[in-house]
Amino acid sequence: MTSTAAAAATDGDLLAGFPAPPSSGLDLGPLTLNFYALCIVAGIVVAILLTSKLWKSRGGSSENVMDATLWAVLLGIVGGRLYHVFSSPDAYFGPNFDGSGDLSLIPQIWRGGLGIWGAILLGAVGVWFACRRYGMKFGAFADAVVPGVLLAQAIGRWGNWFNQELYGGPTNLPWGLNVELEHRVPQVSHMSESTLFHPTFLYESVWNLLGVALLLVLYRRFQVKQGLLAWTYVAYYTLGRFWIESLRIDELDKSTQFINIFGLDWRLNMWASVLTFLVAVVMLYVLWSKRPRTAEQLAEEQEVFRAGHGPRAEGTDAGEAELDEAETALDEAEADESELDEAEADESDESDEQDAAEPADAEDESSVIPDAETPVAEDGPDPREDSRRES
């Protein structure tokens, strides 16, 4: 802990508040183990475990989850970083993109800076790709994923505490957060070291945990329309993100933080929350209006794989699964060909039998049909008798 934090720790007012973290990471010789990165990794691991359990309860397999995780995590990290870089560009490109920033900071994600909007967007693209590749229905799989995603967000927010970011304005509440002077924005850097701030990272973490409980109840008790739970997650998260963003004061000095629309000077993330919330509400209405009305439609809605696909066996990789599918298709084609050959053989046998029967029939007919070369006697006088008369 720095000397500033040590001095502040002796203040009686601070004892009632939420302390600053003792460190942002561990030094391991040439390497530094960053706690922010550890929180992100821990969130991903927990999300995989929860998603696997939920997906298996609907007839899937954990291998399906691992297939999708690879694409979702990789694209999610890229999307989250890109959103952060372009929504908070000052450190990378300079204020108003004047070129005074440091581009080498862009890949240093362990220092913080993953925008949830970009992470969810490209992460969803990764899940969609995996679903198309492995035969899973996207809506059904997304419903199984979102509780784990929200739980990962709840865990990941503690990485912001280690980095001393995502805090709100000054407060006298007993859970107020102490922020060291070097991590404060200029607007509040003059305040007393014992000043406490709203721990907005904690608010969002708690909000997300409550959301996880809600989504799990809905997942286990209702299976009405695929995709409904996924859009419920979007609506719930954006609703909480809006009011939490309204409390934040960190990054006030960044040039892209506030956007004025219709006279409303809101933070960028507040506008993103509102617009995404409206889209989620529309999608919930559309999906609810298309919910199954008959037993047959409900049975079809409960199928989580597309026709001709299913969960692949545990312990097989994607290549082996595709090879098995190809071999199965080949076996089916060979079986069809064998049946066709048998049918043709049966037809050939029948034809031979008919050919063998035709000569016998012809012989029977020849016994009753007179020979064409043998003249047939007709009734009437004999010509030789007429010759004798003339002589």
Side-chain angles (χ1 to χ4, degrees), residues 36 40 76-84 109 112-119 157 160 165 241:
Y36 177 89
I40 298 297
I77 291 176
V78 172
R81 189 58 174 175
L82 288 177
Y83 180 87
H84 167 76
I109 61 175
L114 288 175
I116 190 62
W117 310 109
R157 277 306 178 208
N160 300 122
E165 54 192 7
R241 184 65 184 266

Side-chain angles (χ1 to χ4, degrees), residues 381-391:
D382 188 348
R384 292 174 293 181
E385 187 68 26
D386 294 339
S387 300
R388 286 195 293 269
R389 288 195 186 101
E390 290 177 357
S391 59

Side-chain angles (χ1 to χ4, degrees), residues 44-197:
I44 292 174
V45 171
V46 172
I48 292 173
L49 295 176
L50 179 56
T51 301
S52 297
K53 182 176 181 180
L54 296 179
W55 183 240
K56 290 171 71 174
S57 71
R58 293 281 170 89
S61 72
S62 58
E63 298 296 331
N64 298 139
V65 177
M66 296 306 300
D67 293 334
T69 296
L70 176 63
W71 294 99
V73 171
L74 292 178
L75 291 180
I77 291 176
V78 172
R81 189 58 174 175
L82 288 177
Y83 180 87
H84 167 76
V85 168
F86 288 101
S87 63
S88 303
D90 294 359
Y92 314 103
F93 304 100
N96 298 313
F97 296 89
D98 62 7
S100 62
D102 184 359
L103 295 178
S104 67
L105 296 175
I106 292 178
Q108 300 181 32
I109 61 175
W110 55 87
R111 301 183 61 173
L114 288 175
I116 190 62
W117 310 109
I120 290 178
L121 180 60
L122 281 193
V125 172
V127 170
W128 176 85
F129 180 82
C131 288
R132 294 294 300 175
R133 181 177 176 86
Y134 303 112
M136 301 174 286
K137 290 184 178 180
F138 177 71
F141 191 76
D143 288 344
V145 167
V146 290
V149 171
L150 197 56
L151 181 57
Q153 291 176 248
I155 296 173
R157 277 306 178 208
W158 284 88
N160 300 122
W161 175 61
F162 285 108
N163 283 350
Q164 298 194 58
E165 54 192 7
L166 268 71
Y167 54 88
T171 180
N172 291 323
L173 293 172
W175 55 80
L177 173 68
N178 174 251
V179 179
E180 297 175 356
L181 292 179
E182 58 265 35
H183 294 284
R184 296 184 185 181
V185 294
Q187 290 83 348
V188 296
S189 60
H190 64 283
M191 294 183 177
S192 168
E193 295 180 358
S194 61
T195 302
L196 302 178
F197 300 87

